Amino acid sequence: MIGTAMALTGCQQATDGAAKPRTGASEEIRGMAAAVGRSGAACVFVKPDGAQRFGHVGWGFQVTGTRTWVYGAVENPSGKLYTPPGGDIGAWHAEGSYARMLSDMSRDAHYPGRSAHPYRGYRCTPSSTSDVTAARRMIRTVEARGFLVGVDPRTGELTSRDCLDATYDVLKAYRTRRLTPAAEPAVPNVWVESLVGWSDRRLTPR
C-alpha cells in the first residue's frame, strides 16, 4: 500500500529538479517527422522528476498514412487519490505534426493548469500495426473515467486509473508494437525504462 500511494505522485504536477541524462539509448527512430506509409509509430513522454521523482507520462501516436500525430495526457492537477468519472482530471489531447507535438509537449502547451516544469524526455517506436479509430475511442474513454490509485470505492479492489494507465490504454488500443504491459498500479518511471527497443531522447523547450 505504501508503494501504491507513492506511485500516485507520478501523476501530479512535477516538482523542481534536474532530469538525469539517459545512457545506453535504444535504436534511433530515423525520419519520424516525415514518415508516411502503412506503418504507424508511437511515443511516450515523461516528466521523470514528477512528484517525488516517481514520474508522470503522456502519449502520442501517428495517424497512419499521414504526417499527423495525436497526443495528450491525464495530468491530475488536484493530486487526489480519487476523482469520480466526469470530474476534472486534467485530461487533454491535441493533433499536429511531429515537430508540433514535440514543441507542445516540451512547453506543456495544452496543459489545463500550471506545472513546475514540462515534459523532459520522450521515447518512440515504429509500429507495423496500428488502429487509429480504436485509439481515438480510448482517448474518449480515459478522459471520462475519472482518476484512481488505490482502492476503488465502487468495487473494493486495489487498482488504478492514472496517467500511466491512460498512456498504456491509448497506445495498446493503437496496437503499438513492443509495448510493455503496465501493472496496476505501477510507477511511471519504472515502466518507461522497461520499454525495450524504443528510442530515448531528451526533450527541451522549443
Side-chain angles (χ1 to χ4, degrees):
M1 288 301 294
I2 294 175
T4 298
M6 293 177 70
L8 156 76
T9 63
C11 296
Q12 299 178 12
Q13 294 184 26
T15 56
D16 292 331
K20 296 181 179 178
R22 298 179 184 273
T23 59
S26 55
E27 63 181 327
E28 291 293 333
I29 305 301
R30 300 186 182 279
M32 185 77 76
V36 177
R38 294 183 178 180
S39 296
C43 294
V44 170
F45 296 88
V46 59
K47 297 181 180 182
D49 297 331
Q52 300 181 27
R53 300 181 182 276
F54 285 92
H56 167 77
V57 291
W59 46 263
F61 61 83
Q62 185 181 27
V63 177
T64 314
T66 77
R67 290 187 172 89
T68 299
W69 287 70
V70 182
Y71 49 100
V74 169
E75 307 287 355
N76 189 34
S78 72
K80 295 179 180 179
L81 285 167
Y82 175 68
T83 298
D88 179 15
I89 59 174
W92 65 273
H93 69 276
E95 297 190 23
S97 66
Y98 181 72
R100 178 63 180 270
M101 175 177 68
L102 297 187
S103 176
D104 284 357
M105 297 302 280
S106 74
R107 297 179 292 109
D108 275 334
H110 297 277
Y111 176 45
R114 295 184 177 180
S115 177
H117 61 68
Y119 292 87
R120 293 191 173 185
Y122 65 107
R123 305 193 68 181
C124 299
T125 185
S127 181
S128 58
T129 57
S130 61
D131 189 334
V132 176
T133 299
R136 289 186 186 276
R137 187 182 306 120
M138 182 55 67
I139 290 172
R140 294 192 293 270
T141 296
V142 301
E143 290 183 341
R145 68 188 182 188
F147 186 94
L148 170 69
V149 173
V151 177
D152 190 328
R154 295 177 298 178
T155 66
E157 297 180 352
L158 179 63
T159 186
S160 61
R161 294 188 290 274
D162 60 8
C163 63
L164 173 53
D165 294 303
T167 296
Y168 176 76
D169 289 347
V170 169
L171 295 186
K172 181 180 179 182
Y174 181 73
R175 300 180 64 198
T176 304
R177 298 296 300 272
R178 296 183 290 191
L179 183 66
T180 304
E184 295 182 3
V187 176
N189 278 345
V190 174
W191 179 76
V192 170
E193 294 291 346
S194 75
L195 296 173
V196 177
W198 292 53
S199 68
D200 196 346
R201 293 186 175 183
R202 182 180 294 278
L203 187 65
T204 56
R206 57 191 70 193

